[in-house]
Amino acid sequence: MAYILTHFWPGATEEQYWAEVAAVHPEGGLPEGQIYHKAGNTEGGVRIIAIWESKESSDRFVAEVLMPHVPEAGGFSGRPEERAAEAFNLLSQ
């Protein structure tokens, strides 16, 4: 079942986002198990929305790839505000 994960990085900037993505995403693609990724500036920081094939693939990425790269030179620091949910509907065009 698809899994939705959102991160809000308080105080983060778009430049920090790009530095972080360069460190944790494969060049020109998504991490294994991730099927959707969007990010944008919002009041007070950066919000990232990712859809994963499963909770397990999301948990593995966060624990083994993302958080070992925080802080990243020029990237994020601290811990994000995280929200997650099992998807009950997933539409795309």
Side-chain angles (χ1 to χ4, degrees):
M1 174 173 290
Y3 187 72
I4 305 162
L5 181 66
T6 68
H7 281 149
F8 174 68
W9 293 87
T13 65
E14 183 178 345
E15 292 76 22
Q16 289 174 307
Y17 165 80
W18 287 114
E20 196 68 39
V21 165
V24 300
H25 279 206
E27 189 174 329
L30 295 173
E32 183 178 345
Q34 192 177 98
I35 56 178
Y36 178 87
H37 180 100
K38 288 289 184 186
N41 292 314
T42 188
E43 186 175 330
V46 171
R47 168 98 41 212
I48 300 167
I49 301 167
I51 309 296
W52 294 86
E53 291 174 351
S54 66
K55 180 180 186 315
E56 292 75 25
S57 60
S58 174
D59 289 349
R60 185 173 42 256
F61 172 79
V62 170
E64 297 175 9
V65 180
L66 177 61
M67 293 316 296
H69 282 277
V70 175
E72 179 66 35
F76 297 142
S77 62
R79 295 205 53 93
E81 296 173 15
E82 183 176 287
R83 298 216 176 183
E86 294 284 342
F88 58 81
N89 189 16
L90 180 62
L91 301 173
S92 64
Q93 222 173 24

